[in-house]
Amino acid sequence: MNQARKLLLMSTPVGALGTGQGGGVELTVQNIAQELQQRGHQLEVVAPLGSCLKDVRVKEIAGNFQVAVQTQSKDVPITIPRNSTLGNMWQYARQVQTQYDLLVNFAFDWLPFYLTPFFATPIAHFISMGSMTHALDEIMEWTAKLHPDRIGVYTKSQAETFAFAESCEILSSAIDLSLYNFCATPGKSIAWLGRIAPEKALEDAVAAANITKVPLKIYGKIQDREYWQQIQQDFPTAPIEYMGFLNTESLQQELGQARALLMTPRWIEAFGNVAIEALACGVPVIAYRRGGPSEIVRDGITGFLVEPDSIPGLVTAIESIDSLSRIACRQQAETEYSLPALGDRFEVWFDKILTAH
Ligand code: UDP
């Protein structure tokens, strides 16, 4: 192990951990906290009231949530509600900062970047999405200029959405492989998994299911109810079934039964934790060749990369999916996306920051 550190992990302020409101960063916070603690680092996670994490100490903070920025336009100004969870979280961080070597920010929000030079304890920023709004781009770029070593991202495609791509530490993602069982023989359905919101373009997966008549099971938090209703109206006879938002234990059991996972993001997906969860179960991934999934899927081996926004492309891929080896999928997850590998990358990053500090 590297030198043991005292770390304060600042979670997303858009919702409590475990609710799905924060998307993939919830799983990332759980995984990185668990792995770093297991390596002997002392840590606490600061997160909204009601958050639950497995085997990790959480300081719960009350207040009103931030609005998820991906629902807003490029020009949207920064807003902070009264009695803000984000503000309260950073108030707490200010009070306890001297007890820690490093603060790690997981919020895709303006305030933690702005506060960076005002804190005595260094703050590392893990950015969980690509470029979203001008105001955020600006503060992130300003922070990257001030501290070029303190910005971490999931993937190269994500980093390239920012002007400060060169300063980004590429950290990728990982899952606790022991929680995901390999399933050699799938059922008849394919799966779609994630937040039900326009940037995820679930309608493309539904359109492909409607053409192929292969049943599609949908899992995840309904973030935008109108959008979900519109999809149901547009495809009244599509063979789809909404299965709810499941915890990891139930999700992996269900997911393993799928012939494939469809990933149809309209935006530049920063990573796509659902891709590596599928691979860990032995499920090949059919994804648009765009953003994070295009760096994960090995085209023709552990899935298919399809021309972005092409429904015929999805259809062809679905029709060829059973030719792929499910064992190869699990193997890729084991070799590239294990928690120890992620822990190594984060430790190297933290050491660089603390040495420079
Ligand atoms: N997820 C879940 N239960 C579900 C559906 C999804 O826990 O029923 C989680 C999934 O494990 C993943 C996250 O939702 O961690 C989606 O993250 P991803 O990185 O794919 O996309 P994001 O939401 O960050 O854009």
Side-chain angles (χ1 to χ4, degrees):
M1 188 192 77
N2 291 29
Q3 196 181 338
R5 307 285 191 188
K6 295 194 183 101
L7 305 166
L8 189 66
L9 271 50
M10 305 294 295
S11 185
T12 169
V14 302
L17 288 169
T19 60
Q21 187 65 21
V25 75
E26 292 186 24
L27 192 65
T28 300
V29 170
Q30 165 72 57
N31 286 338
I32 198 63
Q34 188 181 316
E35 177 62 20
L36 291 172
Q37 182 171 279
Q38 204 259 327
R39 287 168 179 237
H41 301 286
Q42 271 181 46
L43 60 87
E44 181 175 70
V45 173
V46 181
L49 189 65
S51 290
C52 30
L53 279 187
K54 201 166 98 332
D55 305 330
V56 176
R57 191 156 58 106
V58 182
K59 171 71 184 174
E60 294 178 58
I61 304 280
N64 294 312
F65 298 137
Q66 291 301 110
V67 174
V69 73
Q70 68 273 18
T71 61
Q72 301 174 310
S73 71
K74 266 280 189 207
D75 276 323
V76 75
I78 300 302
T79 50
I80 296 184
R82 68 186 285 203
N83 184 27
S84 138
T85 309
L86 179 66
N88 296 344
M89 284 168 70
W90 284 88
Q91 175 75 351
Y92 173 76
R94 190 180 64 76
Q95 285 160 2
V96 299
Q97 59 170 315
T98 54
Q99 299 165 32
Y100 293 92
D101 299 316
L102 182 68
L103 274 47
V104 189
N105 167 43
F106 289 88
F108 194 97
D109 215 310
W110 188 85
L111 187 68
F113 289 89
Y114 181 76
L115 288 176
T116 303
F118 298 97
F119 270 63
T121 305
I123 304 173
H125 298 274
F126 182 81
I127 300 183
S128 60
M129 291 186 279
S131 163
M132 288 287 139
T133 75
H134 296 310
L136 271 168
D137 283 356
E138 205 174 84
I139 196 77
M140 288 173 176
E141 190 177 349
W142 178 75
T143 311
K145 281 202 178 115
L146 207 59
H147 299 291
D149 46 2
R150 293 208 199 159
I151 308 280
V153 295
Y154 282 118
T155 58
K156 190 162 169 286
S157 327
Q158 177 199 0
E160 283 166 355
T161 67
F162 297 111
F164 51 89
E166 295 296 305
S167 324
C168 295
E169 186 85 15
I170 312 281
L171 295 158
S172 188
S173 190
I175 46 172
D176 180 349
L177 288 157
S178 69
L179 302 179
Y180 298 81
N181 298 317
F182 172 69
C183 174
T185 42
K188 288 196 179 68
S189 311
I190 49 179
W192 188 97
L193 175 52
R195 289 177 297 106
I196 299 179
E199 65 273 16
K200 296 287 188 174
L202 168 61
E203 64 274 26
D204 289 14
V206 174
N210 199 31
I211 295 168
T212 57
K213 297 295 171 212
V214 175
L216 176 70
K217 290 188 175 172
I218 299 164
Y219 305 86
K221 171 108 187 154
I222 301 177
Q223 245 181 0
D224 186 332
R225 203 156 280 281
E226 272 177 36
Y227 166 72
W228 170 232
Q229 278 162 356
Q230 190 63 50
I231 293 176
Q232 290 168 287
Q233 268 175 33
D234 292 346
F235 299 95
T237 57
I240 60 172
E241 191 178 356
Y242 175 61
M243 310 294 290
F245 175 79
L246 307 185
N247 63 24
T248 300
E249 161 74 28
S250 318
L251 183 65
Q252 66 85 26
Q253 268 173 26
E254 290 273 335
L255 183 56
Q257 309 294 318
R259 281 169 63 198
L261 174 74
L262 290 192
M263 288 185 79
T264 48
R266 200 73 76 212
W267 70 347
I268 297 186
E269 184 84 44
F271 186 80
N273 275 321
V274 297
I276 59 176
E277 296 184 89
L279 294 176
C281 299
V283 176
V285 179
I286 297 172
Y288 288 151
R289 191 187 294 278
R290 168 190 279 154
S294 67
E295 294 181 38
I296 301 169
V297 175
R298 294 199 200 138
D299 191 22
I301 300 169
T302 58
F304 292 114
L305 289 171
V306 169
E307 166 77 16
D309 311 318
S310 164
I311 289 157
L314 294 175
V315 169
T316 309
I318 292 169
E319 282 162 355
S320 330
I321 201 68
D322 297 330
S323 64
L324 300 182
S325 151
R326 292 173 71 91
I327 291 172
C329 298
R330 173 74 192 188
Q331 277 169 350
Q332 189 191 355
E334 284 177 4
T335 51
E336 295 176 28
Y337 299 108
S338 72
L339 281 187
L342 183 72
D344 286 346
R345 292 191 291 273
F346 267 79
E347 278 185 343
V348 168
W349 181 41
F350 292 166
D351 283 349
K352 267 193 229 171
I353 296 171
L354 292 168
T355 307
H357 185 66

